Amino acid sequence: MNTVVNLLIALVALLHVYFLVLEMFLWDKPFGLKTFRLTQEFATASKALAANQGLYNGFLAAGLAWGICLGTTGLSIKIFFLACVIVAGIFGALTASRKILFIQALPAALALALLLAFR
């Protein structure tokens, strides 16, 4: 079961790498504009803010990867970074878009629940 939990945590990490790429590199490109339903003007004006947000998503991914690499000794790191993802997802759902709750927070909550159940 530990492998399944780590795979789910890795999926959460990969999602955050994807968010990093979207926000840092594709924000004002056609794919980013379509994904976030932005106008070119807004995307251009907010590009630096989006890149900063993407960087934070990268840190979340790095922390989760670090926890996985540490194996059983990385339990507290996995818990911490999954909790950070959940909090960020809830905040995003409350302030930006409700779908963030399902795209970001729900997978992390499932991973955290399984991690705690099968540690």
Side-chain angles (χ1 to χ4, degrees):
M1 192 54 148
N2 191 35
T3 302
V4 172
V5 173
N6 279 331
L7 285 173
L8 188 53
I9 294 170
L11 175 65
V12 173
L14 288 173
L15 278 171
H16 282 76
V17 170
Y18 175 67
F19 301 152
L20 174 148
V21 170
L22 274 173
E23 294 165 349
M24 291 190 81
F25 306 111
L26 301 176
W27 184 256
D28 60 346
K29 307 295 185 275
F31 187 75
L33 296 172
K34 182 178 177 185
T35 300
F36 294 108
R37 297 185 188 125
L38 304 174
T39 65
Q40 184 66 57
E41 295 77 24
F42 180 82
T44 300
S46 59
K47 186 175 180 172
L49 293 172
N52 187 50
Q53 188 171 287
L55 185 63
Y56 283 97
N57 278 309
F59 289 140
L60 292 173
L64 292 170
W66 177 34
I68 292 169
C69 288
L70 290 175
T72 56
T73 60
L75 177 66
S76 61
I77 292 165
K78 293 175 196 174
I79 292 169
F80 174 78
F81 280 97
L82 286 169
C84 287
V85 169
I86 294 165
V87 170
I90 292 169
F91 185 78
L94 292 172
T95 60
S97 171
R98 183 168 286 165
K99 42 181 211 184
I100 294 172
L101 187 66
F102 303 103
I103 294 169
Q104 184 175 357
L106 185 62
L110 178 60
L112 181 59
L114 290 175
L115 178 65
L116 294 174
F118 297 103
R119 59 184 166 129

